[in-house]
Amino acid sequence: MGSPKQRIVETTFDLFSKQGYNSTGINQIIAEAGVAKASFYQHFKSKEDLCVEFLNVRHEYWFKELIDFSSQAEDLQNQLIKAFDFLIYMNEKEHFRGCSFLNILSEIPADNIKILSVIQSHKSDLRNYFLELLKDDALSDHIYMLFESSIIESQLFKSNELIEKSKQIVTNLIY
Amino acid sequence: MGSPKQRIVETTFDLFSKQGYNSTGINQIIAEAGVAKASFYQHFKSKEDLCVEFLNVRHEYWFKELIDFSSQAEDLQNQLIKAFDFLIYMNEKEHFRGCSFLNILSEIPADNIKILSVIQSHKSDLRNYFLELLKDDALSDHIYMLFESSIIESQLFKSNELIEKSKQIVTNLIY
Amino acid sequence: MGSPKQRIVETTFDLFSKQGYNSTGINQIIAEAGVAKASFYQHFKSKEDLCVEFLNVRHEYWFKELIDFSSQAEDLQNQLIKAFDFLIYMNEKEHFRGCSFLNILSEIPADNIKILSVIQSHKSDLRNYFLELLKDDALSDHIYMLFESSIIESQLFKSNELIEKSKQIVTNLIY
Amino acid sequence: MGSPKQRIVETTFDLFSKQGYNSTGINQIIAEAGVAKASFYQHFKSKEDLCVEFLNVRHEYWFKELIDFSSQAEDLQNQLIKAFDFLIYMNEKEHFRGCSFLNILSEIPADNIKILSVIQSHKSDLRNYFLELLKDDALSDHIYMLFESSIIESQLFKSNELIEKSKQIVTNLIY
DNA sequence: GATGAATGAGTGTTCATTCAT
DNA sequence: AATGAATGAACACTCATTCAT
């Protein structure tokens, strides 16, 4: 079952992804991880600290999944479409819970720069992902923004409709 | 100074806009509104109820401000650009706090359809706003998505950079 | 049984007097007072606040008891001796727990001026009590210091020995 | 920098002197001493044990300082005055934190005889110090009590005023 | 219509101590 | 002799809500 710290991290991953940050208490985490409260604080000095750890783990996980999902694409256009299909895949898998990073952005006070900077860093990496594919920062930011909207609007309407529309727009853009 | 109910609504508007939903307690609201706790529950049967009221008020306010801001545009293109300039204006005014509706979307459990439907309704109205301007649902949704990204990304990076980029894209799109 | 607030104050009086400040938790207080935790925080915004209230109540109580005890003295000398006899009476009654004010002085961080000033105020009143009796501030401070030592040394040695010695000294001093 | 045990003892000396017993946690001690938690419990079976060790170390330190400070006095009267000057010196040095022994007396439950007896022993030695100087137990206890008050009142009022008054009284007493 | 007192269930965090290695 | 991980119990405090008046 792994060490207590591992169990905390895994449980946190599930619960923060599913319920969000504020709705998930330390009590629930330690209960489901089967760990004593003081053991939790041996490894994380605060809930905020745990949040940073979660975002880092989620960052690794999310990008790995994205790469895995879109890597076998034959050409650039196909790879971009696959990126949007990845969102559909994730929506199915995670029941339209949206982006953990943007959700937490909405949950924290605006002056929490510790967490904010981790979120910014994640999204900068995503922006760079599109930039490196397209070598054109006007175009890549355009697609990045459609990508971001796709996540949020599908979370909002519990539907992949606007992801599909984005795929159509992207197809037109890169020909 | 208005009636107790009015004072609650006004205070809630300020606090939810500034601090978000979960970070604003009933106690703070009634304290700043100068109203007794039981008086609050006379007018709103729960915090969730107050949230619905807030979203409705915010909806009215936000659209009125948008229309006021963009109404004196000479042509369609100008009016669309003004819509994005409105976001810059609001970011300045509200310190990059983003969209109250999307923020609350991230704060509530996914199964809270009462609040969810109010948020969906607001965003549907916005989608319709662009549709009625453009009479072309592919184009209008494209711009709607850039608009939504513009809000979120400027909240995330505390910068209007991607709003400016969106304005450029929109300019290109409608010629 | 009195209102919840009254029950909290009475229970706090007993427990702080007996066990001291740090050794008495909010949980014990509310349990013994038969009051909900949130009810406690309705009346006192923090444990520190409760401490101030306790010290005020204790101040009133202690001085009233002192006056009651020493009031029927025939002359000045007798009244001073009675004051020291009062310490013996209190030691018997409270099992040599010493002075609540000085005990709490030792329990709080040195920079807690909110509580410190209440303690200083109490002791200034006591100093004044002797000054008004004796109209001679050298003599009255001398006796005040013997009085303070009497409290502390009897707490330390669980004995009234040095109180008795002080009575002898005082007797010699004022003839 | 010395053995782990030495480092613990030295760190404890600083922290207990500065912050008191209850406000100083084991965690802070081992962190500042640079020692593992289990190492701590190898040398001290409980925090109470550490407290006893601290009081013993403090006893040695305090008396050595007192003797050093007052030894070069020409006569008895001067030596007594020097003892009170020592209190002023210590107040300056330790910022009016008072007597570690009396502070801990106030922090522990009344039935902790293990610690209580160490404190009693320290104060008995102090009483004896004055007795051996003066060879008159009425007079020496009188001065002992002024000495004790001097410590406490200067801690309480963050002032050496009553120490100076005590010096005056003592001067009068021994002529 | 308006109130202030009261609440049960929860929050995140820290305590001194013990364990297996 | 030395360690770092693990713990149960307690800490002070806050939440949205209800009740009697």
Side-chain angles (χ1 to χ4, degrees), chain A residues 21-145:
Chain A
Y21 178 59
N22 283 317
S23 300
T24 305
I26 297 290
N27 285 331
Q28 190 184 6
I29 291 172
I30 61 166
E32 298 197 11
V35 160
K37 197 169 277 194
S39 301
F40 172 85
Y41 281 96
Q42 192 106 35
H43 298 290
F44 303 96
K45 68 182 239 297
S46 67
K47 194 189 179 187
E48 191 189 8
D49 242 52
L50 178 66
C51 185
V52 170
E53 171 76 2
F54 162 73
L55 291 173
N56 287 332
V57 171
R58 180 90 192 168
H59 176 78
E60 296 297 329
Y61 165 80
W62 190 88
F63 264 100
K64 189 189 177 315
E65 290 272 294
L66 170 63
I67 304 301
D68 284 359
F69 194 94
S70 59
S71 59
Q72 67 272 57
E74 313 95 41
D75 56 13
L76 176 64
Q77 186 197 18
N78 196 256
Q79 191 170 356
L80 288 170
I81 296 304
K82 278 250 155 77
F84 284 83
D85 282 333
F86 172 67
L87 296 181
I88 296 173
Y89 159 75
M90 288 295 280
N91 281 336
E92 237 90 284
K93 194 173 169 188
E94 300 194 338
H95 307 287
F96 295 92
R97 300 248 152 74
C99 171
S100 290
F101 297 85
L102 296 180
N103 284 336
I104 288 178
L105 175 66
S106 290
E107 293 197 65
I108 56 166
D111 61 353
N112 188 333
I113 50 170
K114 195 139 135 209
I115 289 180
L116 177 62
S117 65
V118 180
I119 300 173
Q120 288 174 334
S121 171
H122 168 76
K123 291 299 186 186
S124 293
D125 284 358
L126 178 57
R127 246 174 117 179
N128 259 314
Y129 170 81
F130 287 116
L131 178 57
E132 286 179 12
L133 280 181
L134 293 159
K135 320 280 185 202
D136 173 341
D137 76 309
L139 183 58
S140 68
D141 274 343
H142 189 166
I143 290 172
Y144 167 72
M145 283 192 280

Side-chain angles (χ1 to χ4, degrees), chain D residues 114-169:
Chain D
K114 198 142 134 205
I115 290 180
L116 176 61
S117 64
V118 180
I119 300 173
Q120 288 174 335
S121 170
H122 168 76
K123 289 299 185 187
S124 292
D125 284 0
L126 178 57
R127 246 175 115 179
N128 259 314
Y129 170 81
F130 287 115
L131 178 57
E132 285 178 13
L133 280 180
L134 293 158
K135 320 280 185 199
D136 172 342
D137 75 312
L139 183 58
S140 68
D141 274 341
H142 188 167
I143 289 173
Y144 166 72
M145 282 192 281
L146 291 173
F147 195 81
E148 289 285 272
S149 303
S150 290
I151 300 174
I152 285 148
E153 300 304 313
S154 56
Q155 174 183 13
L156 170 56
F157 291 110
K158 314 293 178 205
S159 146
N160 294 314
E161 181 202 357
L162 287 175
I163 303 181
E164 297 291 356
K165 282 211 171 170
S166 292
K167 282 165 62 182
Q168 196 56 53
I169 294 168

Side-chain angles (χ1 to χ4, degrees), chain B residues 82-135:
Chain B
K82 278 252 157 74
F84 284 84
D85 282 331
F86 172 67
L87 296 182
I88 296 172
Y89 161 75
M90 287 295 279
N91 281 337
E92 237 89 288
K93 195 173 170 187
E94 301 194 340
H95 307 287
F96 294 93
R97 301 245 155 72
C99 170
S100 290
F101 297 85
L102 295 180
N103 284 337
I104 288 177
L105 175 66
S106 290
E107 293 197 65
I108 56 166
D111 62 352
N112 188 332
I113 48 172
K114 196 140 135 207
I115 290 180
L116 176 61
S117 65
V118 180
I119 300 173
Q120 288 173 335
S121 169
H122 168 76
K123 290 299 184 186
S124 293
D125 285 358
L126 179 57
R127 247 174 115 178
N128 258 314
Y129 171 80
F130 287 115
L131 178 57
E132 284 177 15
L133 279 181
L134 293 158
K135 318 283 186 199

Side-chain angles (χ1 to χ4, degrees), chain B residues 5-160:
Chain B
K5 177 163 182 175
Q6 260 182 298
R7 296 203 307 273
I8 291 168
V9 171
E10 282 163 22
T11 306
T12 301
F13 184 87
D14 291 345
L15 295 177
F16 279 9
S17 299
K18 231 176 284 175
Q19 311 173 346
Y21 178 58
N22 282 318
S23 300
T24 306
I26 296 290
N27 283 330
Q28 190 185 4
I29 292 172
I30 62 165
E32 298 196 13
V35 160
K37 193 163 278 190
S39 301
F40 172 84
Y41 281 95
Q42 199 114 30
H43 295 293
F44 303 96
K45 69 183 241 294
S46 68
K47 194 188 179 186
E48 192 190 11
D49 245 51
L50 178 66
C51 184
V52 170
E53 172 74 2
F54 163 73
L55 292 173
N56 287 331
V57 171
R58 179 92 191 165
H59 176 79
E60 295 297 330
Y61 166 80
W62 191 88
F63 264 100
K64 188 188 177 318
E65 290 273 292
L66 170 63
I67 303 302
D68 284 359
F69 194 95
S70 59
S71 59
Q72 68 274 55
E74 314 94 43
D75 56 13
L76 176 63
Q77 188 198 14
N78 198 257
Q79 190 169 356
L80 288 171
I81 296 303
K82 278 252 157 74
F84 284 84
D85 282 331
F86 172 67
L87 296 182
I88 296 172
Y89 161 75
M90 287 295 279
N91 281 337
E92 237 89 288
K93 195 173 170 187
E94 301 194 340
H95 307 287
F96 294 93
R97 301 245 155 72
C99 170
S100 290
F101 297 85
L102 295 180
N103 284 337
I104 288 177
L105 175 66
S106 290
E107 293 197 65
I108 56 166
D111 62 352
N112 188 332
I113 48 172
K114 196 140 135 207
I115 290 180
L116 176 61
S117 65
V118 180
I119 300 173
Q120 288 173 335
S121 169
H122 168 76
K123 290 299 184 186
S124 293
D125 285 358
L126 179 57
R127 247 174 115 178
N128 258 314
Y129 171 80
F130 287 115
L131 178 57
E132 284 177 15
L133 279 181
L134 293 158
K135 318 283 186 199
D136 173 341
D137 75 312
L139 183 58
S140 68
D141 274 342
H142 188 167
I143 290 171
Y144 166 72
M145 282 193 280
L146 292 171
F147 195 81
E148 290 285 90
S149 303
S150 291
I151 300 174
I152 286 147
E153 301 304 313
S154 57
Q155 174 184 11
L156 170 55
F157 293 109
K158 314 294 177 205
S159 147
N160 294 315

Side-chain angles (χ1 to χ4, degrees), chain D:
Chain D
M1 281 217 178
S3 71
K5 177 163 182 176
Q6 260 182 297
R7 296 205 306 274
I8 291 168
V9 171
E10 283 163 21
T11 306
T12 300
F13 184 87
D14 290 345
L15 294 177
F16 280 9
S17 297
K18 229 178 285 175
Q19 309 173 347
Y21 177 60
N22 283 317
S23 300
T24 306
I26 296 291
N27 283 330
Q28 190 185 4
I29 291 171
I30 61 165
E32 298 196 13
V35 160
K37 195 163 276 192
S39 301
F40 171 84
Y41 281 96
Q42 200 114 29
H43 297 291
F44 303 97
K45 68 182 242 294
S46 68
K47 195 189 180 188
E48 191 190 11
D49 246 50
L50 178 65
C51 183
V52 169
E53 172 75 3
F54 163 73
L55 292 173
N56 287 331
V57 172
R58 180 90 191 166
H59 176 78
E60 295 298 328
Y61 166 80
W62 190 89
F63 263 101
K64 188 189 178 313
E65 290 272 293
L66 170 62
I67 303 301
D68 284 0
F69 194 95
S70 57
S71 58
Q72 68 271 56
E74 314 95 43
D75 57 13
L76 177 65
Q77 187 199 16
N78 197 256
Q79 190 169 356
L80 287 170
I81 296 304
K82 277 250 156 75
F84 284 82
D85 282 332
F86 172 66
L87 296 181
I88 295 173
Y89 160 75
M90 287 295 280
N91 281 336
E92 236 90 287
K93 193 172 172 187
E94 301 194 340
H95 307 285
F96 295 92
R97 299 245 155 71
C99 170
S100 290
F101 297 85
L102 294 181
N103 284 336
I104 289 178
L105 174 66
S106 289
E107 293 197 65
I108 56 166
D111 62 352
N112 188 332
I113 49 171
K114 198 142 134 205
I115 290 180
L116 176 61
S117 64
V118 180
I119 300 173
Q120 288 174 335
S121 170
H122 168 76
K123 289 299 185 187
S124 292
D125 284 0
L126 178 57
R127 246 175 115 179
N128 259 314
Y129 170 81
F130 287 115
L131 178 57
E132 285 178 13
L133 280 180
L134 293 158
K135 320 280 185 199
D136 172 342
D137 75 312
L139 183 58
S140 68
D141 274 341
H142 188 167
I143 289 173
Y144 166 72
M145 282 192 281
L146 291 173
F147 195 81
E148 289 285 272
S149 303
S150 290
I151 300 174
I152 285 148
E153 300 304 313
S154 56
Q155 174 183 13
L156 170 56
F157 291 110
K158 314 293 178 205
S159 146
N160 294 314
E161 181 202 357
L162 287 175
I163 303 181
E164 297 291 356
K165 282 211 171 170
S166 292
K167 282 165 62 182
Q168 196 56 53
I169 294 168
V170 169
T171 303
N172 295 337
L173 280 177
I174 59 179
Y175 271 110

